[in-house]
Amino acid sequence: MNIKEIASGIHYVGVNDRVTQRFESLWPLPYGVTYNSYLITDEKIALIDCVEISEVEDLLRNIRNISGSNVKLDYLVVNHMEPDHSGGIPILVDEFPDMKIVGNKLTIGMVKGFYHIDDDSKFYEVADGDVISLGSHSLRFIMTPMVHWPETMMTYVEDEKVLFSGDAFGTFGALNGAVVDEDMDTSLYFEEAYRYYSNIVGKYGTFVLRAAKKLENLEIGTICPTHGPVWRRQIPEILELYKRLASYESEPGVVIVYGSMYGNSGAMAEKVAEGLAARGVRKIIVHNAAFSELSYMIRDAFRYKGLVVISPTYQMTIYPPIKSFMEALKSREIRNKALALCGSFTWASGALPELKKYSQEMKHEVIAEVQMKHAPSGDTLAAVEALCDKMAEAAE
Ligand code: FEO
């Protein structure tokens, strides 16, 4: 149970999930995840953000722990409708029949569609800039579409300078006792923020930047996202990290992602790594795509400047795990990388042309390419050395 008063009359009542193995059934959760929810108690009582359906009993226990067993919620503010936050809505509607669900036009359509709650009297529709007064707390709604769904909005409590930011500024990782960043070592959450951003929000960088711009004139003392710690001490750091990732700005280093059936493309990956190390590159990460999780390969591709992709030809095209990786990059509109492509083949070249097709579709420059027939030999090794020359310079 993680209950914490984070500002006057505002409690964290969120829950830890250490059971779900994969977020969205895709992304590993080795450290768990939180579904954050916040209770504001005033003349009216409002819950900001709900939780995943399996965790709703814990949420109800936390709410009653603060406001008593006879508590009646006046409002449920739905900043985001993805079911990790909206799954518990039908149960809250049953528990609190007089509660209004607060959301914008799109939110309300989604509640009706997902949960068949069709009674219009259950809803309180808001638009950008609208305010609901709870008594001494006023909730102002800020529309931030596509961070990370179209209905996404944020809620700001003016007097307390608290921003409920939805998925923005969230991270993977359950909370290990403390709730607010100033009460914990946040290094794990910053590491997991790279993976959370790149895996979940990465496609919507333009919208993240647009939302960040909209927040510029707000005085923000506390950020309450829907996942991970509440930010207070490290607001500048988490804002900077999100802005940097949304702008596709990278750190020095090279990520090598390769596939290999019988070891020849793998040998080329080793040669690239050795060549970069010999040229002074200190951050080199090698992923065998057949074994590395896509989640971590995407994270590293977002984080570091250099990216070398190596694929054998498989059924006249790219090796399947590399294809998944390239599709993930394309869908996230990755840019500003030092990108090098290498393909191998036995009798007809299929991989390198396909990799290049991806780079064209992504409108991404390729700084070097290597084509290998059969196994590494004189010409291939010379081309690898030339690739390392260019990459070492571009990725630092
Ligand atoms: Fe945490 Fe987009 O849901």
Side-chain angles (χ1 to χ4, degrees):
M1 184 188 299
N2 283 321
I3 293 178
K4 167 87 179 168
E5 185 166 29
I6 52 177
S8 175
I10 304 178
H11 284 82
Y12 178 89
V13 288
V15 296
N16 277 332
D17 179 354
R18 299 184 197 271
V19 174
T20 298
Q21 297 289 303
R22 286 179 183 268
F23 193 78
E24 297 180 343
S25 295
L26 283 171
W27 315 110
L29 292 170
Y31 309 107
V33 68
T34 67
Y35 312 115
N36 294 347
S37 183
Y38 305 90
L39 189 70
I40 307 181
T41 47
D42 204 319
E43 290 164 27
K44 302 270 188 187
I45 299 181
L47 186 71
I48 315 288
D49 302 315
C50 188
V51 300
E52 209 263 348
I53 189 162
S54 63
E55 307 295 333
V56 76
E57 286 303 322
D58 277 358
L59 171 68
L60 286 168
R61 198 173 307 124
N62 289 350
I63 293 170
R64 290 185 172 124
N65 196 296
I66 293 167
S67 296
S69 53
N70 295 324
V71 60
K72 288 188 171 58
L73 294 189
D74 295 287
Y75 300 109
L76 167 63
V77 175
V78 181
N79 284 320
H80 180 27
M81 269 302 294
E82 193 168 4
D84 55 325
H85 309 294
S86 69
I89 289 177
I91 292 168
L92 291 189
V93 167
D94 284 347
E95 289 285 329
F96 307 110
D98 297 327
M99 178 187 79
K100 299 279 187 199
I101 300 169
V102 180
N104 55 60
K105 197 178 183 62
L106 291 175
T107 319
I108 292 168
M110 288 182 190
V111 174
K112 290 179 175 177
F114 274 112
Y115 303 115
H116 313 299
I117 298 168
D118 294 318
D119 177 356
D120 283 326
S121 72
K122 295 278 184 198
F123 296 100
Y124 188 122
E125 186 176 324
V126 294
D128 195 38
D130 284 357
V131 173
I132 292 179
S133 173
L134 304 178
S136 60
H137 299 82
S138 290
L139 310 180
R140 177 141 62 92
F141 304 100
I142 304 164
M143 300 301 131
T144 53
M146 302 314 298
V147 188
H148 115 249
W149 277 17
E151 87 299 355
T152 320
M153 64 184 200
M154 297 186 188
T155 301
Y156 181 61
V157 180
E158 201 114 16
D159 294 337
E160 304 294 339
K161 302 181 177 56
V162 174
L163 179 72
F164 299 95
S165 63
D167 280 353
F169 318 119
T171 80
F172 288 137
L175 292 173
N176 300 325
V179 171
V180 183
D181 62 354
E182 58 201 9
D183 300 326
M184 65 173 79
D185 172 356
T186 54
S187 48
L188 168 73
Y189 302 102
F190 273 95
E191 281 300 313
E192 286 292 82
Y194 283 100
R195 203 160 62 86
Y196 179 78
Y197 177 86
S198 60
N199 290 191
I200 310 298
V201 191
K203 183 176 175 56
Y204 307 109
T206 308
F207 298 95
V208 171
L209 292 176
R210 206 171 284 166
K213 184 111 194 109
K214 212 165 175 181
L215 301 177
E216 267 173 7
N217 296 326
L218 282 188
E219 239 186 294
I220 300 173
T222 307
I223 293 181
C224 299
T226 45
H227 300 288
V230 167
W231 301 107
R232 188 173 288 150
R233 176 173 55 96
Q234 292 180 289
I235 286 175
E237 287 93 332
I238 194 71
L239 280 173
E240 199 270 335
L241 177 63
Y242 260 73
K243 279 192 208 168
R244 190 154 51 79
L245 290 172
S247 310
Y248 299 91
E249 285 175 24
S250 310
E251 298 169 31
V254 181
V255 183
I256 301 166
V257 176
Y258 78 94
S260 190
M261 288 180 279
Y262 298 105
N264 291 305
S265 298
M268 182 152 55
E270 300 294 349
K271 285 288 176 196
V272 172
E274 288 167 22
L276 291 170
R279 287 162 177 78
V281 179
R282 290 294 168 257
K283 189 74 189 182
I284 301 168
I285 298 170
V286 180
H287 284 292
N288 179 343
F291 298 99
S292 283
E293 286 279 356
L294 184 62
S295 172
Y296 294 87
M297 296 191 286
I298 296 170
R299 174 197 66 185
D300 293 338
F302 263 75
R303 183 164 182 173
Y304 297 105
K305 177 74 179 173
L307 177 60
V308 183
V309 183
I310 303 173
S311 176
T313 297
Y314 186 83
Q315 296 182 344
M316 292 312 298
T317 182
I318 304 176
Y319 189 56
I322 299 289
K323 191 172 178 65
S324 296
F325 176 64
M326 296 305 288
E327 285 290 334
L329 297 187
K330 188 173 87 169
S331 73
R332 286 165 180 75
E333 299 169 17
I334 201 146
R335 57 190 87 134
N336 297 341
K337 299 288 143 188
L339 175 65
L341 303 175
C342 309
S344 67
F345 69 100
T346 300
W347 71 93
S349 166
L352 187 59
E354 277 296 309
L355 288 173
K356 286 164 73 175
K357 206 189 285 179
Y358 273 106
S359 69
Q360 287 153 9
E361 287 168 0
M362 294 190 285
K363 299 184 176 60
H364 202 297
E365 185 194 353
V366 177
I367 64 163
E369 57 184 70
V370 178
Q371 174 83 290
M372 179 173 77
K373 186 173 183 181
H374 299 159
S377 62
D379 285 354
T380 312
L381 294 175
V384 165
E385 293 297 319
L387 178 155
C388 291
D389 283 341
K390 286 186 181 165
M391 184 56 75
E393 194 180 330
E396 285 296 292

